Amino acid sequence: MLMASAVGAPARAAVPDSAPGTTATAPETAVAAVAPSVSPAVPSFHVKDGALFSCAVGSFCAAVRDPTTGDWKVHVFRQCGSHYLSNWVGDGFYRNNHTVPVKLIGSNGNVLREVPPGGGIVGVDWSAVWAIRLC
């Protein structure tokens, strides 16, 4: 079982007070939150902080914060090949319960990390990872 944790939870900061005699204004444009995704698509599900979930044998499970829901989005990779990540930002974690090594690939195609089969839950900063390659 894996346990979702607060790793990667956004820090909270107080809004600064305006200087005396001035008025605080909101930014002119707002940026909408976008959910992390994978291409080609793989099965995924959401879990709350502290929730337990399984990573089945033959799977590589990767969890990333979903800013549209505030919880963890867990992607389950089973098929060999390259899977390209979009909007994977910040800390998360993975577990390689597959039978093959998995490679985390950077923006220029370099291997950032090779993850052997087995092992436990490992923390990762997804910001530098552009793809996950199985087999």
Side-chain angles (χ1 to χ4, degrees):
M1 294 291 216
L2 298 178
M3 184 172 188
S5 66
V7 173
R12 297 190 182 263
V15 177
D17 292 330
S18 300
T22 64
T23 303
T25 58
E28 290 184 28
T29 59
V31 178
V34 180
S37 62
V38 178
S39 180
V42 299
S44 65
F45 57 92
H46 285 86
V47 295
K48 302 288 183 195
D49 284 345
L52 298 176
F53 63 95
S54 296
C55 184
V57 173
S59 301
F60 177 83
C61 299
V64 60
R65 264 297 170 192
D66 184 342
T68 66
T69 61
D71 56 12
W72 294 98
K73 187 171 185 181
V74 181
H75 294 83
V76 182
F77 299 84
R78 295 184 186 106
Q79 301 279 332
C80 289
S82 294
H83 304 273
Y84 300 94
L85 311 180
S86 296
N87 304 306
W88 286 49
V89 179
D91 293 334
F93 52 93
Y94 62 79
R95 179 169 185 207
N96 188 3
N97 210 17
H98 208 289
T99 57
V100 298
V102 173
K103 294 177 181 172
L104 305 183
I105 308 297
S107 62
N108 64 358
N110 59 314
V111 176
L112 300 172
R113 190 180 297 181
E114 185 163 336
V115 182
I121 302 165
V122 179
V124 62
D125 180 357
W126 291 117
S127 300
V129 181
W130 285 44
I132 294 174
R133 187 178 303 147
L134 280 73
C135 306

